[in-house]
């Protein structure tokens, strides 16, 4: 019998001990993984009108396979409209397995991207719930009995590339995807709606049409609906035609990073890269620093971008930090909104246009896809629009590196600012939309003791403003402030059999504040999501052998009506404390 669990007990380490030790009792670790944000019963007290399982699938050997898809049948007793729709993805792992990226699509539109936890023992399971009311246009179409496609009344797809072939771990992932339709009053707090409120809160009415900007190979291709970005010059494009009566458009971009860029945010900048010419060996992984920018183009022209929030994958840094809590954003990876309304003047001609997606400084490889949310003017057959100003100065980048053999330090500073303004003349009047964005990024990496001690400090600050005006009168304004500091310290020692013993410490935070104003009305919300972790691990190659980790997670959301607080402390694979406060008043 093999030893089918990762030991999470704190060991007084003897580096010569055998790697697999099967004696002794099976450690008690929590099999249920959780996202330490909103409570699991995010919709407590409310019973959905209908709940249906839309896809059930086991993912065993799926590398290179197209996504799993199921034809959709909408429950007759649950016609549109609904006040809320929740997507639930419940997953379990039969045995040990690596962490994997997965996603769910509705009719080819990505609605959830997630990173699985690292199952530490057979039977690990977890559930992700996401408010998908934002995709009401798709759901409404699925619920329309007269809607038919080549796949019947629409399809739900899921992809999770897994492998059990010899040399890989035996775990099989099993997934159930369900939709819950709610009617009647809903809890009004935004906190109840989304674990990580972002700009989606800026557009309270969901879009009328959602167009996928994704891989056309979709249902048949081995990348599914994802585009694979291979390098910094690689831009993947989709041709789309948008309705001629559109008056607002927002591009929502999903992203995850893999291969040599899985840990892009800890990537040092090597002197050799700094001084290398453009003819350098581009096919090999290079230490090009921890800066990446996700961006979109419209017909080849830059239309906005974001520095991705560094979601820490379970196997990175120390796998034992993430048992049984998920890192910030791992269950429901953040998507990034770009308001492209100012560009409607270029798009409203009824022709096909190229929407491109790329990642600055990318190394192989990134999986990206986007959804274009379009609001249409039902009282017009055609809306007119024009781009009034376009201001995109080059990013100010400062790169410094000083290395002597493995040791040294590097630093990247980046500052950027861009502004777009455009008018849209529809039945709502001739309105101008201004989008302003500012980023300030800093990455500092220091390596000492012949590569044994690494210190990483990254901070990204973004400020975004979208303003709608009629003439000189401001009608509405949305402002978002985001800050994402990350600090990682690791000390590594080589151990027997080519394995590495590593001690690490982590601090990671997501701060977001949103202010919305419309006429006299004003709404604000702030989110502080923080994790501190400390522990050690013994890794053989990329697989954990054993280790320990203690993680403190604290999530606080406040808006004008509510304040919600949750703190979860874990150690040695179990939950030590899990406290929530619906009023932010700390318990005595
Ligand atoms: C999926 O649902 C079935 C019941 O239909 C249940 O037996 C199974 O345990 C579920 N699997 C997961 C991973 O939740
Ligand atoms: C889905 O629907 C299409 C069209 O009705 C049909 O050809 C296909 O066989 C269906 N697939 C499944 C798995 O039922
Ligand atoms: C970037 O990747 C694309 C797609 O794989 C490839 O065609 C191109 O040659 C690559 N460019 C560089 C500079 O490596
Ligand atoms: C580029 O790097 C790869 C991988 O390290 C190596 O195999 C190849 O020989 C290199 N090519 C050149 C021209 O240096
Ligand atoms: C809308 O307003 C802009 C700027 O104020 C102007 O340039 C444009 O011509 C107007 N469009 C229409 C159709 O009136």
């Amino acid at each position: 019998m093999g030893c089918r669990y990762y030991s999470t007990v704190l060991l007084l380490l003897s580096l010569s001990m055998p790697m697999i030790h099967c004696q002794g009792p099976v450690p008690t670790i929590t099999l249920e993984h959780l996202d330490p944000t909103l409570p699991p019963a995010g919709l407590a007290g409310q019973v959905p009108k209908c709940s249906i399982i839309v896809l059930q699938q086991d993912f065993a050997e799926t590398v290179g396979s197209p996504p799993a898809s199921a034809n959709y049948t909408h429950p007759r007793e649950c016609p549109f409209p609904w006040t809320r729709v929740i997507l639930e993805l419940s997953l379990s792992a039969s045995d040990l397995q690596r962490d994997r990226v997965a996603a769910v699509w509705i009719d080819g539109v990505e609605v959830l991207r997630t990173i699985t936890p690292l199952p530490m023992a057979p039977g690990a399971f977890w559930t992700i719930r996401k408010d998908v009311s934002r995709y009401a246009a798709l759901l409404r179409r699925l619920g329309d009995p007269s809607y038919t496609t080549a796949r019947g009344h629409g399809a739900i797809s899921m992809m999770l590339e897994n492998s059990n072939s010899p040399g890989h771990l035996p775990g099989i992932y099993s997934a159930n995807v369900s939709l819950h339709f709610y009617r009647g009053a809903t809890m009004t707090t935004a906190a109840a709606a989304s674990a990580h409120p972002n700009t989606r809160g800026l557009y309270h009415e969901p879009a009328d049409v959602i167009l996928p900007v994704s891989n056309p190979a979709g249902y048949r291709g081995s990348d599914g609906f994802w585009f694979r970005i291979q390098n910094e010059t690689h831009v993947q494009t989709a041709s789309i035609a948008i309705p001629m009566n559109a008056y607002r458009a927002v591009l929502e971009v999903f992203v995850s990073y893999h291969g040599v860029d899985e840990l892009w945010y800890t990537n040092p900048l090597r002197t050799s890269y700094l001084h290398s010419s453009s003819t350098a060996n581009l096919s090999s992984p290079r230490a090009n620093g921890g800066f990446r920018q996700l961006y979109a183009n419209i017909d080849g022209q830059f239309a906005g971008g974001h520095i991705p929030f560094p979601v820490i994958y379970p196997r990175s840094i120390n796998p034992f930090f993430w048992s049984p809590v998920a890192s910030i954003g791992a269950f429901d990876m953040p998507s990034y909104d770009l308001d492209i309304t100012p560009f409607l003047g270029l798009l409203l001609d009824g022709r096909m246009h190229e929407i491109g997606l790329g990642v600055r400084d990318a190394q192989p490889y990134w999986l990206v896809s986007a959804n274009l949310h379009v609001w249409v003017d039902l009282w017009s057959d055609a809306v007119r629009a024009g781009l009034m100003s376009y201001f995109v100065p080059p990013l100010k980048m400062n790169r410094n590196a000083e290395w002597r053999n493995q040791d040294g330090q590097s630093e990247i500073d980046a500052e950027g600012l861009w502004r777009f303004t455009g008018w849209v003349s529809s039945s709502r009047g001739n309105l101008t939309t201004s989008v302003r964005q500012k980023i300030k990024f800093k990455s500092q990496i220091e390596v000492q003791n012949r590569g044994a001690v690494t210190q990483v400090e990254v901070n990204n600050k973004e400020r975004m403003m979208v303003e709608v005006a009629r003439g000189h009168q401001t009608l509405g304004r949305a402002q978002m402030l985001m800050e994402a500091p990350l600090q990682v310290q690791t000390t590594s020692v080589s151990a027997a059999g080519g394995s590495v013993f590593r001690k690490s410490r982590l601090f990671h935070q997501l701060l977001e504040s949103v202010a919305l104003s419309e006429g006299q009305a004003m709404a604000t919300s702030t989110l502080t999501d923080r994790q501190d972790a400390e522990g050690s691990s013994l890794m053989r190659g990329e697989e954990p052998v054993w280790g320990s980790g203690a993680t403190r997670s604290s999530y606080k959301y406040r808006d004008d009506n509510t304040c919600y607080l949750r703190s979860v402390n874990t150690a040695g694979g179990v939950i030590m404390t899990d406290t929530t406060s619906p009023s932010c008043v700390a318990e005595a």
Side-chain angles (χ1 to χ4, degrees):
M1 285 298 283
C3 206
R4 293 281 164 78
Y5 57 87
Y6 293 127
S7 172
T8 61
V9 282
L10 184 65
L11 292 168
L12 288 172
L13 188 59
S14 145
L15 294 178
S16 57
M17 72 187 297
M19 292 308 147
I20 303 279
H21 53 113
C22 298
Q23 304 85 4
V26 172
T28 45
I29 60 168
T30 308
L31 288 175
E32 181 170 15
H33 290 257
L34 61 102
D35 188 5
T37 53
L38 298 163
L43 287 166
Q46 272 182 295
V47 180
K49 166 98 173 161
C50 302
S51 291
I52 44 166
I53 294 188
V54 291
L55 183 79
Q56 273 184 296
Q57 185 73 33
D58 289 342
F59 297 90
E61 184 59 48
T62 47
V63 174
S65 307
S69 289
N71 287 353
Y72 181 80
T73 309
H74 190 75
R76 231 176 256 263
E77 63 281 14
C78 250
F80 178 82
W82 318 284
T83 41
R84 179 168 291 158
V85 185
I86 302 289
L87 174 90
E88 180 180 312
L89 170 61
S90 77
L91 276 151
S92 64
S94 64
D95 208 324
L96 299 189
Q97 189 46 271
R98 283 194 159 194
D99 48 350
R100 307 282 184 186
V101 61
V104 176
W105 291 268
I106 300 177
D107 270 354
V109 170
E110 185 160 351
V111 295
L112 172 73
R113 190 169 311 186
T114 182
I115 300 290
T116 70
L118 191 72
M120 291 279 180
F125 68 99
W126 62 99
T127 301
I128 300 160
R129 289 184 189 84
K130 179 171 180 174
D131 187 322
V132 290
S133 308
R134 181 184 194 188
Y135 307 96
L138 295 174
L139 298 160
R140 182 179 185 177
R141 201 171 63 182
L142 290 181
D144 176 357
S146 65
Y147 173 68
T148 51
T149 68
R151 310 195 151 257
H153 300 292
I156 308 288
S157 314
M158 179 170 167
M159 195 146 148
L160 189 162
E161 273 194 308
N162 191 26
S163 185
N164 315 123
S165 58
H168 289 84
L169 292 163
I172 294 171
Y173 284 107
S174 301
N176 289 348
V177 183
S178 314
L179 287 172
H180 303 288
F181 295 89
Y182 291 83
R183 279 179 63 79
T186 56
M187 282 199 291
T188 49
T189 64
S194 68
H196 295 289
N198 61 14
T199 45
R200 73 191 65 164
L202 307 187
Y203 313 100
H204 32 82
E205 285 300 314
D208 303 297
V209 180
I210 301 171
L211 302 166
V213 176
S214 60
N215 194 331
Y219 294 103
R220 282 173 296 276
S222 60
D223 279 336
F225 300 92
W226 284 324
F227 283 131
R228 194 178 278 244
I229 305 280
Q230 294 289 5
N231 56 52
E232 63 210 26
T233 54
H234 195 197
V235 176
Q236 292 266 27
T237 59
S239 296
I240 59 169
I242 79 163
M244 289 171 73
N245 56 347
Y247 70 87
R248 180 196 284 156
V250 173
L251 191 67
E252 176 194 19
V253 189
F254 283 90
V255 67
S256 55
Y257 24 88
H258 309 278
V260 300
D261 245 359
E262 195 168 300
L263 275 163
W264 61 271
Y265 47 89
T266 65
N267 198 14
L269 172 66
R270 291 289 178 180
T271 330
S272 56
Y273 173 74
L274 200 57
H275 301 302
S276 70
S277 66
S278 54
T279 55
N281 191 347
L282 291 171
S283 64
S284 62
R286 294 164 308 151
N288 66 348
F291 173 80
R292 302 289 182 274
Q293 185 196 18
L294 168 71
Y295 62 89
N297 288 344
I298 297 176
D299 293 332
Q301 186 176 34
F302 175 85
H306 288 283
I307 290 171
F309 176 79
V311 175
I312 297 166
Y313 296 173
R315 223 163 357 105
S316 328
I317 304 174
N318 179 350
F320 298 93
F321 287 172
W322 316 119
S323 171
V325 286
S327 65
I328 301 172
F331 270 21
D332 176 10
M333 288 192 77
S335 58
Y336 303 89
D337 282 349
L338 299 169
D339 194 317
I340 59 162
T341 308
F343 297 95
L344 281 178
L346 312 173
L347 299 170
L348 293 180
D349 54 5
R351 301 216 179 105
M352 301 296 269
H353 292 271
E354 300 276 303
I355 310 283
L357 300 170
V359 180
R360 259 178 94 126
D361 285 8
Q363 303 191 75
Y365 59 91
W366 289 59
L367 295 174
V368 301
S369 84
N371 303 323
L372 185 56
H373 296 249
V374 180
W375 286 256
V376 300
D377 183 14
L378 293 176
W379 289 269
S380 306
D381 296 321
V383 161
R384 285 190 299 156
L387 182 63
M388 293 159 72
S389 78
Y390 179 86
F391 178 68
V392 184
L395 284 183
K396 275 190 237 156
M397 297 280 286
N398 221 325
R399 299 175 196 260
N400 286 302
E402 266 175 63
W403 297 96
R404 222 173 306 123
N405 301 322
Q406 290 142 292
D407 291 354
Q409 57 185 48
S410 68
E411 197 174 305
I412 298 184
D413 287 282
E415 265 186 68
L417 165 79
W418 48 92
R419 280 199 303 268
F420 316 118
T421 306
W423 59 269
V424 178
S425 178
S426 71
S427 68
R428 302 159 80 232
N430 185 2
L431 307 183
T432 55
T433 301
S434 302
V435 175
R436 260 187 273 172
Q437 225 186 314
K438 209 170 160 178
I439 60 166
K440 198 167 181 208
F441 173 88
K442 191 179 185 79
S443 148
Q444 280 174 296
I445 289 157
E446 214 179 304
V447 181
Q448 293 165 338
N449 290 12
R450 274 165 282 132
V453 178
T454 306
Q455 190 150 330
V456 174
E457 213 172 320
V458 190
N459 198 8
N460 177 38
K461 284 187 205 175
E462 290 197 17
R463 197 181 271 274
M464 195 169 82
M465 188 167 95
V466 179
E467 195 173 76
V468 179
R470 183 184 285 123
H472 293 294
Q473 184 201 357
T474 301
L475 301 179
R477 182 187 291 145
Q479 282 172 282
M480 194 183 72
L481 227 82
M482 199 274 315
E483 193 175 342
L486 168 69
Q487 286 163 21
V488 185
Q489 285 134 32
T490 54
T491 308
S492 312
V493 185
S494 295
S499 48
V500 176
F501 174 69
R502 199 190 287 146
K503 276 174 113 162
S504 35
R505 188 197 287 261
L506 165 109
F507 156 68
H508 198 194
Q509 197 167 28
L510 171 66
L511 297 160
E512 231 171 34
S513 71
V514 175
L516 301 172
S517 61
E518 240 177 315
Q520 300 300 310
M522 180 84 185
T524 58
S525 64
T526 56
L527 169 72
T528 314
D529 196 353
R530 172 180 177 145
Q531 291 185 317
D532 291 271
E534 206 175 336
S536 45
S537 60
L538 183 70
M539 303 288 286
R540 188 191 290 141
E542 294 197 60
E543 312 304 339
V545 182
W546 36 249
S548 74
T551 305
R552 277 175 294 135
S553 309
S554 133
Y555 177 94
K556 185 172 175 180
Y557 174 86
R558 181 193 289 278
D559 64 21
D560 302 321
N561 307 312
T562 51
C563 187
Y564 170 82
L565 185 73
R566 184 173 186 192
S567 347
V568 179
N569 292 339
T570 60
V574 296
I575 295 172
M576 310 305 282
T577 59
D578 182 352
T579 54
T580 60
S581 160
S583 61
C584 292
V585 177
E587 276 167 44

